[in-house]
Amino acid sequence: MSSARMLCIASLCLAAPGAHALMAGDIAFSAFNADEDGWAIVALTDLAAGSTIYFSDSNWNGSGFGSAEGMHTWNTGASIIAAGTVIRFSDIDQAARSVSIGSLSTSGNAGLSSSGDTLFAYVGSSVSAPQTFLAAVSSESASAAATALANAGLSAGINALVLPASTDYAYYSGPHSGQASMSGYRSALNNAANWSAAIDGNHADAIPDTTAFSVVSTVPEASSAWMLLAGLSVLGLRRRALPV
């Protein structure tokens, strides 16, 4: 096999992306609106085209949903959603419900409760059969929120957010830039101290900040693998230059 072909194969091996099953913390909530009945999330990793993510504010007891509340199915659409993108879900209890990217279908009692709710995001075999909970936002009492998150295997401040009880509207008001990686925003987004929240009034017309999150650009150091590829390339050029 020629050195040029070896270089090509090695390059493909290094460049080929691996499959990534979504895990807890791969998305985070950035807004919650019980008056409008909507929310927003941030993708903290690239979301593959045609992915399905479910949302529900039904009570999860660790093995099943205990109440028939809102059950929402979101298809991410035909293109990859880049990490840092904010996706807004609006008026999810209305026939004219919308999502800023992809498509959304809903069943059950879709409205969010202003007296306290825990909204889960998850992946699974169906909307009623979660396999991995990705994130949650709760406006329930501290004890109820702790139980709901524990049942789903999530932790406040790490991959879930607990807002003040009975929050009507809240949004992340922290920075959208400055982190070295998207994962650096995870703890900030799940810290209620970085949110602005209202527990009274009507905020149905409030529009959350959908500015994309960005990371600080860094110049990567040359890895030993790429140095090897460069060496192979030079050897291939020298071989071609030798007289026959």
Side-chain angles (χ1 to χ4, degrees), residues 18-215:
H20 175 65
L22 291 177
M23 302 179 295
D26 279 346
I27 66 171
F29 285 91
S30 62
F32 173 86
N33 194 332
D35 291 338
E36 180 210 22
D37 296 294
W39 62 84
I41 62 169
V42 184
L44 297 178
T45 188
D46 291 349
L47 302 180
S51 296
T52 298
I53 295 177
Y54 303 108
F55 298 87
S56 181
D57 60 326
S58 293
N59 297 322
W60 177 255
N61 61 20
S63 60
F65 287 111
S67 59
E69 298 190 48
M71 310 290 281
H72 315 280
T73 300
W74 174 47
N75 184 281
T76 59
S79 301
I80 294 172
I81 297 177
T85 302
V86 177
I87 304 98
R88 183 186 177 196
F89 299 77
S90 306
D91 296 314
I92 51 92
D93 64 334
Q94 304 295 318
R97 68 183 62 89
S98 64
V99 59
S100 58
I101 301 174
S103 60
L104 180 70
S105 61
T106 292
S107 62
N109 179 10
L112 297 173
S113 174
S114 60
S115 62
D117 237 338
T118 297
L119 177 64
F120 298 102
Y122 53 95
V123 291
S125 57
S126 73
V127 70
S128 59
Q131 292 174 340
T132 302
F133 284 91
L134 306 177
V137 56
S138 181
S139 62
E140 297 191 77
S141 66
S143 59
T147 298
L149 298 183
N151 287 343
L154 298 173
S155 301
I158 298 175
N159 43 40
L161 171 73
V162 177
L163 295 167
S166 301
T167 291
D168 283 348
Y169 172 59
Y171 61 93
Y172 173 76
S173 51
H176 289 229
S177 61
Q179 293 287 348
S181 67
M182 282 296 160
S183 61
Y185 291 109
R186 189 174 295 128
S187 59
L189 284 158
N190 288 305
N191 183 349
N194 296 322
W195 285 58
S196 297
I199 59 174
D200 55 13
N202 189 335
H203 305 274
D205 295 329
I207 299 175
D209 187 354
T210 56
T211 303
F213 288 67
S214 61
V215 296

